[in-house]
Amino acid sequence: MKTNLFDTQRPFVIIIFLVKLQSLYIKHLEKSIMQEFILGSDVMHSIMKEVDQVAKYDVNVLIIGESGTGKELLAKIIHLQSPRAENPFVPVNCGILSGLMFEDKLFGHEKGSFTGAIRREKGCLELADKGTLFLDEVAEIPLENQVDFLRVLEDFQFIRIGGNELIKVDIRLISATNKDLKAEMKQGSFRDDLFYRLHLVPIYIPALRERKSVIPKMVDRFLDQLAANYKRPKPAVKLEVIDIFSRYNWPGNVRELKNLVERVFIINNNDIINIEHLPSDFLWHFRDPPKMMNLEDVKQSAETKAILDVLYRVGGDRKQAAGMLDISPRTLRHKLNKYNLKVDRKGKPMATSKKGLS
């Protein structure tokens, strides 16, 4: 039987094709994420220049920023621009893990190592082998777990819970926090040696309130995504809506803005988004706050009400009213004069000017 040369090389051709296909997907994914991150200010351009340089090298990166600023998104961009782009990106939320749960999440376990361990499970360190491990909210790692994790960072070797085999992994580590780790160190809740391991290249993402000029571009980008996802026409946005967005401080940052735009898009079926389409709980932030009364005003209001109520009940008898109020008739006269209060013979209040007598 004659052997076809293409048949013998077919597995290699398929592998090459799949590698190229994966590379194209990675480039598409990178472009999509980059667009979502949105480069609309000099600060963000500066960050991306730093990312371009850092991504090439397997150095530990610490991303610092408030909740909702896009720390995980930036970590993905670093991963996709690195030589590890075609390998796993494994995120871990450290804020919900402690003790054995943290160890199990990172190191994995052997079958029967504890109650419920019905099979061998790989931890995130193994799953991220040849790729990137992203530790979100790294400041939340409990002190007792920080020691174990620090040992792993020395040589990237560990043992699964209940196991004996020493496992070695090759990972790139990116961590993120919304806290001041130096302040956490001073308080004794974060180890100095772990901090300096993670803090090799720090990148700070500014809050949205510090770069409000990007809001129009972000809103436009989010609406593009929503129109494509929900297969609906993209609505126009009135300038007054953009203006009110720019006046708000966005404590939830980009995530809050994105969620609000999606909420308005889903509820509103019109071609244009006006201010009346914005949720009332959002517009509430722009109402004038109620006038606050100082302690003297509160006291005057309470005393005025009490005096007028009692005088009406006793038919205007000031001596009797003073007795019921547990003050002297002289003090009652003083307060009536001070607050400019006047009642008729039957004790009914009479109209007076707001200004008290001197």
Side-chain angles (χ1 to χ4, degrees), residues 211-350:
R211 47 189 176 103
K212 289 184 176 180
S213 61
V214 305
I215 288 177
K217 290 184 179 180
M218 285 186 172
V219 172
D220 189 62
R221 171 62 182 167
F222 296 152
L223 287 174
D224 280 338
Q225 292 174 336
L226 292 166
N229 292 343
Y230 292 103
K231 295 179 173 53
R232 278 175 45 187
K234 175 185 174 183
V237 183
K238 284 283 191 178
L239 287 176
E240 48 263 39
V241 173
I242 297 297
D243 176 64
I244 205 168
F245 281 175
S246 299
R247 287 162 49 200
Y248 184 55
N249 274 336
W250 301 104
N253 291 291
V254 179
R255 186 186 297 125
E256 184 183 5
L257 173 61
K258 187 175 183 180
N259 289 347
L260 179 66
V261 172
E262 183 168 10
R263 181 179 170 189
V264 172
F265 180 88
I266 291 173
I267 294 174
N268 176 37
N269 290 317
N270 297 314
D271 296 331
I272 298 177
I273 296 176
N274 293 305
I275 287 182
E276 57 263 29
H277 299 134
L278 300 180
S280 58
D281 57 324
F282 174 75
L283 291 174
W284 177 85
H285 295 285
F286 299 92
R287 293 178 181 171
D288 292 329
K291 183 180 179 182
M292 299 299 294
M293 298 175 67
N294 59 37
L295 190 59
E296 190 61 36
D297 291 337
V298 173
K299 181 181 177 182
Q300 177 177 336
S301 177
E303 288 190 344
T304 297
K305 185 177 184 307
I307 290 170
L308 292 176
D309 285 348
V310 170
L311 282 171
Y312 181 72
R313 287 167 58 187
V314 298
D317 188 326
R318 296 189 179 188
K319 185 176 181 181
Q320 189 177 351
M324 292 181 66
L325 292 168
D326 199 24
I327 57 176
S328 67
R330 182 179 179 182
T331 301
L332 177 59
R333 286 196 301 273
H334 170 72
K335 289 185 181 295
L336 288 169
N337 185 55
K338 178 181 179 182
Y339 299 145
N340 195 22
L341 302 178
K342 293 183 179 180
V343 295
D344 62 18
R345 292 181 180 179
K346 294 182 178 181
K348 292 182 180 181
M350 299 172 59

Side-chain angles (χ1 to χ4, degrees), residues 150-169:
L150 185 62
R151 291 196 193 102
V152 175
L153 294 184
E154 296 289 338
D155 51 15
F156 288 102
Q157 295 186 112
F158 62 94
I159 299 173
R160 295 192 197 102
I161 297 173
N164 298 308
E165 178 189 358
L166 188 64
I167 301 167
K168 187 171 178 63
V169 291

Side-chain angles (χ1 to χ4, degrees), residues 30-42:
E30 180 184 337
K31 182 180 179 182
S32 174
I33 290 177
M34 290 278 281
Q35 286 176 336
E36 187 172 342
F37 198 68
I38 299 174
L39 310 178
S41 67
D42 292 340

Side-chain angles (χ1 to χ4, degrees), residues 100-111 113-114 117 119-126 158-163 167:
L100 186 62
M101 287 179 62
F102 181 85
E103 293 179 28
D104 187 32
K105 185 73 174 178
L106 259 67
F107 309 141
H109 62 261
E110 296 290 346
K111 180 180 178 181
S113 55
F114 53 83
R119 65 177 68 87
R120 171 188 284 181
E121 294 284 355
K122 291 183 178 181
C124 289
L125 284 165
E126 279 185 87
F158 62 94
I159 299 173
R160 295 192 197 102
I161 297 173
I167 301 167

Side-chain angles (χ1 to χ4, degrees), residues 136-191:
D136 197 11
E137 306 302 348
V138 72
E140 304 301 327
I141 299 178
L143 271 174
E144 64 268 23
N145 294 122
Q146 291 179 27
V147 179
D148 296 331
F149 185 58
L150 185 62
R151 291 196 193 102
V152 175
L153 294 184
E154 296 289 338
D155 51 15
F156 288 102
Q157 295 186 112
F158 62 94
I159 299 173
R160 295 192 197 102
I161 297 173
N164 298 308
E165 178 189 358
L166 188 64
I167 301 167
K168 187 171 178 63
V169 291
D170 172 22
I171 63 171
R172 200 274 177 77
L173 183 64
I174 302 176
S175 50
T177 181
N178 59 9
K179 292 186 175 181
D180 182 350
L181 287 187
K182 290 184 177 179
E184 296 293 313
M185 285 163 51
K186 289 180 180 178
Q187 294 172 9
S189 58
F190 202 83
R191 292 178 62 95

